[in-house]
Amino acid sequence: MNNVLLALRGPILTLMVSAAGIHYILANLISLGAITLLRYLLADRWIWAKSSPAETANAATATSESSVVAPERRGSSVVAAPTGKTFPFAYDVHGIVQIESMVRLPELDYFRVSGTFQNADLRIWQDKRRRSRRAAPATPRSAHRDQRRQQRRAAADMHYEDGPGRYGFEVAITYKERTEIATSPLLKLSPHVLYTNVVEPILRWTFVRKGHALCHAACVSFGGQGVLITARTDTGKTTTILRSLTHHACVFLSDDMTIMGREGQVLSYPKPLTISRHTLRAVNAARLSLPERMALQVQSLLHSRSGRQIGLLLGQTKIPAASLNAIVQMIIPPPKYMVDRLVTNVKVADGAYLTNMILIERGPS
């Protein structure tokens, strides 16, 4: 295993230095960290993991029983959140979509409310799993918990698992009266990955059912007249928004996604803005503290276009890319700041009426 991983370092270094343009010292550190983490996960998952006879028997029983779950039980208590569990985070998006979650979703902090909903559209909870396969033989309680989990997986409308057991990326999604999302513990530690890869795609379909569309576009308002600004990724949309707010008398609605209604109304969706080093040229960088600016140097390299290209290449291999992405973003979160941290005296509006749309494209100067 060590020889194989050592042989992989050469192509990884070449890719980062030559193709992505990352400095060779930083590329060495990234490759060493990634190889060390991968070596640990491989050793922990396959080399040293041995199930006791009792665990093997319990797992076989749970699997055989879960395979006979009747289709009509979809959406029943088998796949609902455990009874007695509380959802400390509640979000009300303009009274259109309500979300309850055991996990904080920083992208939706603007819509956070106190209390709970009687009929939330989306509910996110954490699926607890047994701590170790190498622990003492399974107790009746832990075996029952494993059986329930197997049943939930069998009854879910969609289940995805990626990576090394309980340390990996895993979601089970069920839809009936509401959409239920059960996540692995890793995603609680990496909420940006949970929101971007799971919650937001589901929200886009949820808004459609409510007669709205969550569109990939920024939006500002001039006297109640909404202007959508859209572009491909890494084309300058965020910089354009920040410069517009700094130099023109406009009001902020959103930077990345905007809610649109049937009659042309637009509603705000103010998530934290993902910035980079060059984005700071458009704003007063002094508003960020020195540690934040220093951290931005590393965050910009990892969450830039070149970083995403490396991620796409890894996604074409058999490496558990979703789990790796969640672990990396847990260690080095993306550089996200609310608009009032970047622009002085910014005003945020709840809505406007759409009058214009601007499409930014790359081209000659």
Side-chain angles (χ1 to χ4, degrees):
M1 182 186 70
N2 285 327
N3 288 334
V4 170
L5 293 178
L6 185 62
L8 285 175
R9 266 199 82 209
I12 291 174
L13 282 171
T14 303
L15 184 67
M16 287 192 290
V17 176
S18 301
I22 299 176
H23 193 274
Y24 69 91
I25 294 180
L26 181 59
N28 266 286
L29 292 175
I30 294 174
S31 65
L32 283 172
I35 293 297
T36 301
L37 179 64
L38 187 58
R39 182 187 293 114
Y40 167 77
L41 293 176
L42 288 171
D44 184 71
R45 175 63 176 170
W46 287 292
I47 296 179
W48 303 111
K50 293 182 179 180
S51 300
S52 66
E55 286 181 287
T56 304
N58 284 324
T61 302
T63 303
S64 62
E65 292 184 3
S66 67
S67 63
V68 297
V69 175
E72 60 269 16
R73 297 193 68 184
R74 289 181 181 271
S76 67
S77 58
V78 173
V79 291
T83 57
K85 298 296 183 181
T86 59
F87 296 87
F89 303 98
Y91 306 93
D92 188 351
V93 185
H94 294 291
I96 303 171
V97 176
Q98 288 81 37
I99 304 159
E100 291 179 338
S101 177
M102 289 184 179
V103 181
R104 179 181 168 233
L105 302 171
E107 281 81 358
L108 296 178
D109 275 348
Y110 180 83
F111 300 107
R112 186 174 173 184
V113 296
S114 58
T116 57
F117 304 108
Q118 185 175 2
N119 294 300
D121 300 284
L122 181 63
R123 194 159 62 175
I124 305 160
W125 50 282
Q126 184 177 341
D127 190 10
K128 292 187 177 180
R129 306 179 62 174
R130 292 186 56 205
R131 184 162 184 80
S132 175
R133 293 178 56 192
R134 304 184 300 278
T139 64
R141 182 179 178 182
S142 63
H144 182 59
R145 185 168 61 243
D146 285 347
Q147 180 180 341
R148 283 200 317 242
R149 178 174 171 270
Q150 292 287 347
Q151 288 176 334
R152 285 197 298 271
R153 289 175 56 172
D157 295 308
M158 179 184 296
H159 174 259
Y160 179 82
E161 183 175 4
D162 172 303
R166 72 181 184 91
Y167 300 102
F169 182 111
E170 181 182 13
V171 292
I173 302 169
T174 304
Y175 173 73
K176 194 177 180 183
E177 294 86 1
R178 67 168 64 89
T179 303
E180 299 270 3
I181 304 175
T183 73
S184 59
L186 174 64
L187 293 180
K188 182 178 181 180
L189 302 175
S190 191
H192 298 296
V193 171
L194 171 62
Y195 174 82
T196 303
N197 296 279
V198 181
V199 176
E200 188 171 272
I202 293 175
L203 281 178
R204 297 185 78 164
W205 288 107
T206 305
F207 274 106
V208 169
R209 292 198 300 269
K210 300 281 188 174
H212 293 75
L214 186 59
C215 303
H216 180 229
C219 188
V220 293
S221 171
F222 293 85
Q225 297 183 346
V227 179
L228 280 184
I229 302 175
T230 188
R232 290 186 176 182
T233 304
D234 300 312
T235 311
K237 178 161 55 70
T238 299
T239 301
T240 301
I241 287 292
L242 292 175
R243 285 181 173 168
S244 299
L245 293 171
T246 303
H247 301 294
H248 301 285
C250 59
V251 179
F252 179 80
L253 274 81
S254 59
D255 161 68
D256 184 48
M257 308 293 290
T258 301
I259 304 170
M260 291 187 61
R262 287 191 176 100
E263 304 302 324
Q265 70 272 28
V266 286
L267 300 174
S268 62
Y269 199 76
K271 298 191 303 181
L273 285 71
T274 304
I275 64 173
S276 59
R277 287 178 299 174
H278 69 267
T279 306
L280 290 184
R281 301 171 190 167
V283 297
N284 181 12
R287 291 181 63 84
L288 297 182
S289 65
L290 180 60
E292 289 173 333
R293 280 180 284 169
M294 293 177 63
L296 186 61
Q297 306 303 312
V298 178
Q299 291 172 310
S300 292
L301 288 173
L302 184 63
H303 299 283
S304 64
R305 184 190 310 171
S306 58
R308 282 190 287 272
Q309 289 175 344
I310 294 175
L312 289 173
L313 292 174
L314 291 176
Q316 297 173 8
T317 68
K318 293 185 178 181
I319 295 175
S323 297
L324 184 61
N325 180 38
I327 293 171
V328 169
Q329 294 205 39
M330 177 182 64
I331 299 171
I332 306 177
K336 290 179 177 286
Y337 298 94
M338 288 301 290
V339 65
D340 57 358
R341 289 290 316 279
L342 303 172
V343 180
T344 306
N345 299 325
V346 65
K347 296 180 180 179
V348 180
D350 281 339
Y353 192 82
L354 182 61
T355 57
N356 295 278
M357 187 172 78
I358 298 171
L359 174 64
I360 304 175
E361 292 184 341
R362 290 187 174 274
S365 301

